[in-house]
PDB file of all heavy atoms in Angstrom:
ATOM      1  N   ASP R 170     102.033 -41.490  10.172  1.00 98.00           N
ATOM      2  CA  ASP R 170     101.471 -40.796   9.001  1.00 98.00           C
ATOM      3  C   ASP R 170     100.042 -40.327   9.388  1.00 98.00           C
ATOM      4  O   ASP R 170      99.240 -41.173   9.783  1.00 98.00           O
ATOM      5  CB  ASP R 170     101.469 -41.735   7.797  1.00 98.00           C
ATOM      6  CG  ASP R 170     100.897 -41.130   6.515  1.00 98.00           C
ATOM      7  OD1 ASP R 170     100.095 -40.144   6.602  1.00 98.00           O
ATOM      8  OD2 ASP R 170     101.243 -41.651   5.500  1.00 98.00           O
ATOM      9  N   LEU R 171      99.703 -39.097   9.153  1.00 98.00           N
ATOM     10  CA  LEU R 171      98.320 -38.564   9.557  1.00 98.00           C
ATOM     11  C   LEU R 171      97.332 -39.385   8.945  1.00 98.00           C
ATOM     12  O   LEU R 171      96.253 -39.578   9.518  1.00 98.00           O
ATOM     13  CB  LEU R 171      98.246 -37.105   9.167  1.00 98.00           C
ATOM     14  CG  LEU R 171      99.204 -36.140   9.807  1.00 98.00           C
ATOM     15  CD1 LEU R 171      98.917 -34.698   9.333  1.00 98.00           C
ATOM     16  CD2 LEU R 171      99.148 -36.154  11.399  1.00 98.00           C
ATOM     17  N   ASN R 172      97.530 -39.918   7.746  1.00 98.00           N
ATOM     18  CA  ASN R 172      96.459 -40.645   6.956  1.00 98.00           C
ATOM     19  C   ASN R 172      96.177 -42.009   7.619  1.00 98.00           C
ATOM     20  O   ASN R 172      95.148 -42.586   7.314  1.00 98.00           O
ATOM     21  CB  ASN R 172      96.961 -40.881   5.528  1.00 98.00           C
ATOM     22  CG  ASN R 172      97.006 -39.612   4.723  1.00 98.00           C
ATOM     23  OD1 ASN R 172      95.914 -39.097   4.305  1.00 98.00           O
ATOM     24  ND2 ASN R 172      98.228 -39.083   4.583  1.00 98.00           N
ATOM     25  N   ASN R 173      97.077 -42.465   8.526  1.00 98.00           N
ATOM     26  CA  ASN R 173      96.847 -43.827   9.119  1.00 98.00           C
ATOM     27  C   ASN R 173      96.314 -43.777  10.520  1.00 98.00           C
ATOM     28  O   ASN R 173      96.089 -44.830  11.101  1.00 98.00           O
ATOM     29  CB  ASN R 173      98.173 -44.541   9.127  1.00 98.00           C
ATOM     30  CG  ASN R 173      98.673 -44.881   7.728  1.00 98.00           C
ATOM     31  OD1 ASN R 173      97.942 -44.950   6.799  1.00 98.00           O
ATOM     32  ND2 ASN R 173      99.975 -45.036   7.549  1.00 98.00           N
ATOM     33  N   ILE R 174      96.067 -42.548  11.034  1.00 98.00           N
ATOM     34  CA  ILE R 174      95.482 -42.506  12.395  1.00 98.00           C
ATOM     35  C   ILE R 174      94.118 -43.175  12.425  1.00 98.00           C
ATOM     36  O   ILE R 174      93.333 -42.908  11.465  1.00 98.00           O
ATOM     37  CB  ILE R 174      95.440 -41.042  12.915  1.00 98.00           C
ATOM     38  CG1 ILE R 174      96.784 -40.386  12.858  1.00 98.00           C
ATOM     39  CG2 ILE R 174      94.768 -40.924  14.224  1.00 98.00           C
ATOM     40  CD1 ILE R 174      96.803 -38.882  13.258  1.00 98.00           C
ATOM     41  N   VAL R 175      93.869 -43.865  13.429  1.00 98.00           N
ATOM     42  CA  VAL R 175      92.529 -44.452  13.604  1.00 98.00           C
ATOM     43  C   VAL R 175      91.800 -43.669  14.661  1.00 98.00           C
ATOM     44  O   VAL R 175      92.251 -43.501  15.791  1.00 98.00           O
ATOM     45  CB  VAL R 175      92.603 -45.926  14.141  1.00 98.00           C
ATOM     46  CG1 VAL R 175      91.170 -46.481  14.264  1.00 98.00           C
ATOM     47  CG2 VAL R 175      93.394 -46.787  13.097  1.00 98.00           C
ATOM     48  N   ASN R 176      90.732 -42.994  14.231  1.00 98.00           N
ATOM     49  CA  ASN R 176      89.982 -42.083  15.046  1.00 98.00           C
ATOM     50  C   ASN R 176      90.824 -40.844  15.334  1.00 98.00           C
ATOM     51  O   ASN R 176      91.420 -40.627  16.437  1.00 98.00           O
ATOM     52  CB  ASN R 176      89.560 -42.708  16.360  1.00 98.00           C
ATOM     53  CG  ASN R 176      88.238 -42.055  16.862  1.00 98.00           C
ATOM     54  OD1 ASN R 176      87.463 -41.514  16.121  1.00 98.00           O
ATOM     55  ND2 ASN R 176      88.027 -42.123  18.170  1.00 98.00           N
ATOM     56  N   TYR R 177      90.886 -40.003  14.325  1.00 98.00           N
ATOM     57  CA  TYR R 177      91.829 -38.813  14.285  1.00 98.00           C
ATOM     58  C   TYR R 177      91.603 -37.909  15.514  1.00 98.00           C
ATOM     59  O   TYR R 177      92.557 -37.424  16.145  1.00 98.00           O
ATOM     60  CB  TYR R 177      91.540 -38.033  12.989  1.00 98.00           C
ATOM     61  CG  TYR R 177      92.576 -37.079  12.609  1.00 98.00           C
ATOM     62  CD1 TYR R 177      93.682 -37.412  11.867  1.00 98.00           C
ATOM     63  CD2 TYR R 177      92.516 -35.724  13.052  1.00 98.00           C
ATOM     64  CE1 TYR R 177      94.650 -36.511  11.435  1.00 98.00           C
ATOM     65  CE2 TYR R 177      93.466 -34.820  12.666  1.00 98.00           C
ATOM     66  CZ  TYR R 177      94.500 -35.159  11.872  1.00 98.00           C
ATOM     67  OH  TYR R 177      95.440 -34.228  11.497  1.00 98.00           O
ATOM     68  N   ALA R 178      90.366 -37.598  15.798  1.00 98.00           N
ATOM     69  CA  ALA R 178      90.025 -36.748  16.949  1.00 98.00           C
ATOM     70  C   ALA R 178      88.712 -37.249  17.579  1.00 98.00           C
ATOM     71  O   ALA R 178      87.872 -37.686  16.914  1.00 98.00           O
ATOM     72  CB  ALA R 178      89.932 -35.323  16.551  1.00 98.00           C
ATOM     73  N   THR R 179      88.666 -37.104  18.890  1.00 98.00           N
ATOM     74  CA  THR R 179      87.442 -37.614  19.592  1.00 98.00           C
ATOM     75  C   THR R 179      86.508 -36.440  19.910  1.00 98.00           C
ATOM     76  O   THR R 179      86.944 -35.324  20.233  1.00 98.00           O
ATOM     77  CB  THR R 179      87.786 -38.335  20.862  1.00 98.00           C
ATOM     78  OG1 THR R 179      88.632 -37.394  21.631  1.00 98.00           O
ATOM     79  CG2 THR R 179      88.510 -39.617  20.647  1.00 98.00           C
ATOM     80  N   PRO R 180      85.212 -36.678  19.808  1.00 98.00           N
ATOM     81  CA  PRO R 180      84.244 -35.619  20.203  1.00 98.00           C
ATOM     82  C   PRO R 180      84.511 -35.045  21.563  1.00 98.00           C
ATOM     83  O   PRO R 180      84.534 -35.850  22.572  1.00 98.00           O
ATOM     84  CB  PRO R 180      82.846 -36.302  20.090  1.00 98.00           C
ATOM     85  CG  PRO R 180      83.059 -37.448  19.114  1.00 98.00           C
ATOM     86  CD  PRO R 180      84.483 -37.895  19.334  1.00 98.00           C
ATOM     87  N   GLY R 181      84.649 -33.782  21.675  1.00 98.00           N
ATOM     88  CA  GLY R 181      84.954 -33.165  22.972  1.00 98.00           C
ATOM     89  C   GLY R 181      86.365 -32.567  23.001  1.00 98.00           C
ATOM     90  O   GLY R 181      86.597 -31.579  23.685  1.00 98.00           O
ATOM     91  N   TYR R 182      87.222 -33.149  22.179  1.00 98.00           N
ATOM     92  CA  TYR R 182      88.616 -32.708  22.201  1.00 98.00           C
ATOM     93  C   TYR R 182      88.721 -31.241  21.775  1.00 98.00           C
ATOM     94  O   TYR R 182      89.327 -30.335  22.449  1.00 98.00           O
ATOM     95  CB  TYR R 182      89.485 -33.608  21.388  1.00 98.00           C
ATOM     96  CG  TYR R 182      90.855 -33.098  21.104  1.00 98.00           C
ATOM     97  CD1 TYR R 182      91.769 -32.905  22.169  1.00 98.00           C
ATOM     98  CD2 TYR R 182      91.319 -32.862  19.799  1.00 98.00           C
ATOM     99  CE1 TYR R 182      93.083 -32.462  21.915  1.00 98.00           C
ATOM    100  CE2 TYR R 182      92.628 -32.395  19.568  1.00 98.00           C
ATOM    101  CZ  TYR R 182      93.465 -32.178  20.599  1.00 98.00           C
ATOM    102  OH  TYR R 182      94.740 -31.754  20.379  1.00 98.00           O
ATOM    103  N   ALA R 183      88.080 -30.951  20.595  1.00 98.00           N
ATOM    104  CA  ALA R 183      88.199 -29.598  20.065  1.00 98.00           C
ATOM    105  C   ALA R 183      87.691 -28.582  21.018  1.00 98.00           C
ATOM    106  O   ALA R 183      88.355 -27.460  21.172  1.00 98.00           O
ATOM    107  CB  ALA R 183      87.449 -29.510  18.707  1.00 98.00           C
TER     108      ALA R 183
END
Side-chain angles (χ1 to χ4, degrees):
D170 180 336
L171 298 181
N172 291 283
N173 294 336
I174 299 177
V175 178
N176 208 26
Y177 195 89
T179 51
Y182 170 61

